[in-house]
Amino acid sequence: MESLSLVETDGKYILNNKDEFLEFINSSDNYSGKTVELGCNIDMKNEVIGFSSIFSGTFDGRGHSIINFKTSRGLFREIGSSGIVQNLHISNASFDGESSAGIVVGINGGKIENILVTGNLMVTNAMSYTGGIAGNNEGIIRNCVFAGYITANADTAGVVKYIGGIAGKNEKTIENCYAEGAITGKAAAVAGIVGNNGASISHCYNYMDVSGANSVAGIASRNIGTINECRNYGAINQKQVDENNEQAGGIVAGNDGTITNCYNYGIIVGTGKNIAGIAGYTSNGIEECGNYGEITGTSNVAGIVGLYRGSINTSGHIRVAGIAGTMTGGTIKNCYVQGEVHSTQSKDGNGIGGILGSAAENPHVDLVNCYNRGTIKAANMLARYVGGIAGTLMTGSISNCYNAGSLSVSDTSIVIAGTIAGFLGENTTCENSYFESVSFCMYHKENEDFLGTEYSKTTEELREGSVVTLLGTGFSKDDGKINNGYPVLNNQQDKSYQYPVIYELNGGQLDKYFDIIEKNTTISPPSAPQKAYAKYLGWFRDKELNTQFSGGQIEKPMMLYAGWDNAVT
């Protein structure tokens, strides 16, 4: 290994100019046990750079900026298990290669923390996994932000390319990370945070508008790990390419893992099937999740889960639901929907419901402690069964649920509608479940139309404490008025719009990268950044530095730009 020619001071190597930085970045040393600190801001002037060895030391940016560079795999090709990269602003970065990559690192086996990346990234057909921070994460990514645009080339249309605002693939831990901007194209496995999650994602928020083909989501395109306390605020647009493999969700497109305490606020639109607020399809239960966004799709459309997957449904019928589309076994518990659910399919449909679209004969499906307040619309379709809670449920149970959402059906002469269920199987039970009075019966069975008059409640009755008691211990009275007076789930919080304020230093130094602020909160400009040989002009709202920012309320994601006069780096 070659050693640094830089002078070591107190166990650290400090890079004080561009030449020293290039000596570091081009070195073959892995820096194991060494700390390298950035002592200045670096403008690479669109040069291609990348550390080619496995970095095993600590690289501390100390709030400085590295701007205007291209990379084929990442600023670091790979970070080893003992490697740490932290405290860095990266601005105007882009890819220059045909390999899987991330702007900070291609493969991360160590820890990445407190890093902001801005740039416009292009994904080609040769890049299997791509992320704004890391291509493939096998370590820890914490407190990082990507703000920019990721575009998948036309030659990726319909091809599985794991693309994420933070990482293409995650195999360990991503937490407290945020993505803002847009992902565009027709690649087949894209999401605002991670393309493919095999481990843990927690407390991550997506603000990116994401469009793609087949499998598109706000947090992860596919999840076989755990996702907890995440939110999607971005618009998700799924464009059908392969009708046998299509799904979109505000949190996850396809879920074979665990999802808890997640919420969708974004508009979800799909031209294919399995379109939902939380998961397009799932093979596991979903707990304590909520949907506020408007959901539109063709079949298996839902507020929480589009398709509960197990055995394959070959009937070709359509399922639409407020919480679950087509389910093939399991439980959805403590979930709610307040956003509208629309189906745009013109073919014959089978089940549309506020909680569940339909479930086949064999799987046992339980719907427990759920409610729907969103309107269920079957526009331009001939749906056979429509229910406020379930469209069709052949085997299972509905317990402690209520529906206060309206049903909008195209033609009551060909549609069988029920305030709780369109159709229930012979052995399916419905207990302690109530509905707001409408002109439909409660549910239908093979030889029975059950009116359920005793379970019909007026708006005033649903808002009274007596119905809360009937619903069981999972519900509370809406004393905080977060649900328009209707019963709320225990520990349910009011909807919360939180947005990032991102600090683009334009080549300066500041030990601050972003803030997450509650909507309508008044904020002040942060402290002034530093930049050698430049006069600081203040913070600006726009990239062109035309409108100075002196403070105000945040109403959406915001980037503040530092202005400089006669900057020389």
Side-chain angles (χ1 to χ4, degrees), residues 465-479:
S466 59
V467 173
V468 171
T469 301
L470 292 172
L471 285 167
T473 58
F475 285 87
S476 301
K477 197 170 186 297
D478 185 24
D479 293 328

Side-chain angles (χ1 to χ4, degrees), residues 88-165:
L88 183 64
H89 292 264
I90 295 176
S91 300
N92 193 29
S94 61
F95 292 132
D96 181 75
E98 295 289 325
S99 300
S100 298
I103 291 299
V104 177
V105 65
I107 301 174
N108 175 47
K111 183 170 73 172
I112 300 172
E113 190 168 18
N114 299 331
I115 292 183
L116 165 63
V117 173
T118 68
N120 296 325
L121 314 181
M122 184 67 69
V123 179
T124 69
N125 194 36
M127 302 168 76
S128 298
Y129 48 87
T130 309
I133 302 295
N136 184 12
N137 178 53
E138 300 172 355
I140 297 171
I141 301 177
R142 179 186 296 128
N143 298 331
C144 292
V145 172
F146 173 77
Y149 297 88
I150 302 176
T151 302
N153 272 353
D155 60 1
T156 66
V159 182
V160 175
K161 299 295 175 186
Y162 292 115
I163 302 171

Side-chain angles (χ1 to χ4, degrees), residues 431-479:
E431 300 177 343
N432 297 329
S433 295
Y434 303 86
F435 58 91
E436 199 164 53
S437 301
V438 292
S439 58
F440 298 104
C441 68
M442 186 173 179
Y443 59 78
H444 303 265
K445 287 197 172 185
E446 186 67 33
N447 298 306
E448 177 186 13
D449 293 342
F450 184 74
L451 294 178
T453 306
E454 64 270 36
Y455 298 99
S456 174
K457 303 294 179 181
T458 66
T459 299
E460 291 71 23
E461 288 172 331
L462 275 174
R463 290 171 173 172
E464 292 175 354
S466 59
V467 173
V468 171
T469 301
L470 292 172
L471 285 167
T473 58
F475 285 87
S476 301
K477 197 170 186 297
D478 185 24
D479 293 328

